[in-house]
Amino acid sequence: MLNYWAENQNWAKLTPWLGLISIVMLFWTLSPVDTTFWALINIPLYLFHQTEEHYWPGGFKDYFNRVVNGLPEGDEALTDEKVFWINIILVWLAFLIFGLLCIVNIGFGLLIVIFSLMNCATHIYTGIKYREWNPGLVMASLQFIASVYGAYVITAKGISHPMTWWISSVLFSILVHAILFKFVMGKK
């Protein structure tokens, strides 16, 4: 069953629908004047980002392998299985957990925002470096703007000890991205 969802990124066919459901739920339960809204808006935006990366128009795995890694056709550092586990565990599961923890402390929402900002920055940097669109760039650009504003709102109105949360969020996001890079670059 897991092989079916991983193969050809079949899991990504769910992302536009989950994005729509989560954005409706977000606007149903919160208002843009709520601090928590600006942490949780990254969840539907990230789902739409995944749609662009892996479903429509898709092609992130091939772009990463051919352009970023310069691998010949047929060689893969990033496989369907890796794409599946990265997106299901590190995005869907982590965002769900941190989204729920926002109820306890909005600082956990800052983790979502900073993680999103770092991911968005990699897409924007890659677009500038190669001077071309990459799968995920359009949504990453939009999400970057929303995340910057969200970081401001959460910091200004929501958290106590903002410096501690910022340092923790940045270090956590760097660590996760470093582990991701090591995982992606590792053998099949």
Side-chain angles (χ1 to χ4, degrees):
M1 179 72 158
L2 288 178
N3 285 339
Y4 168 78
W5 288 108
E7 186 178 36
N8 300 316
Q9 286 107 57
N10 283 321
W11 63 271
K13 295 173 184 171
L14 299 173
T15 59
W17 304 109
L18 291 173
L20 287 171
I21 291 167
S22 63
I23 205 157
V24 166
M25 288 175 54
L26 182 64
F27 277 97
W28 187 290
T29 58
L30 295 171
S31 163
V33 299
D34 297 320
T35 305
T36 306
F37 175 91
W38 290 102
L40 298 181
I41 191 67
N42 273 285
I43 294 173
L45 291 176
Y46 214 103
L47 289 163
F48 294 133
H49 169 75
Q50 289 177 320
T51 300
E52 182 187 359
E53 277 184 315
H54 303 289
Y55 181 52
W56 185 81
F60 179 80
K61 179 188 80 162
D62 292 331
Y63 184 87
F64 186 86
N65 286 323
R66 304 299 157 256
V67 177
V68 176
N69 281 343
L71 296 174
E73 195 70 38
D75 284 354
E76 294 183 332
L78 184 60
T79 64
D80 286 337
E81 292 80 20
K82 287 179 180 180
V83 169
F84 174 80
W85 289 113
I86 289 166
N87 285 283
I88 300 304
I89 292 175
L90 288 177
V91 178
W92 291 13
L93 184 60
F95 277 25
L96 175 65
I97 291 168
F98 290 129
L100 292 171
L101 286 172
C102 282
I103 297 165
V104 177
N105 189 318
I106 191 62
F108 289 105
L110 188 62
L111 281 167
I112 296 171
V113 171
I114 299 302
F115 184 88
S116 297
L117 277 169
M118 286 189 178
N119 182 65
C120 293
T122 62
H123 280 276
I124 294 166
Y125 170 77
T126 303
I128 293 168
K129 179 179 178 181
Y130 295 108
R131 296 186 174 147
E132 64 184 15
W133 171 84
N134 61 72
L137 179 60
V138 173
M139 279 308 302
S141 301
L142 297 172
Q143 188 177 5
F144 187 85
I145 295 165
S147 295
V148 167
Y149 184 73
Y152 163 75
V153 170
I154 292 168
T155 303
K157 299 179 182 178
I159 56 176
S160 57
H161 310 293
M163 189 59 73
T164 302
W165 277 104
W166 266 90
I167 291 168
S168 301
S169 297
V170 168
L171 290 175
F172 173 80
S173 296
I174 289 171
L175 176 66
V176 169
H177 279 87
I179 291 168
L180 253 173
F181 184 76
K182 179 96 169 137
F183 175 68
V184 167
M185 299 310 289
K187 299 285 182 200
K188 278 188 179 182

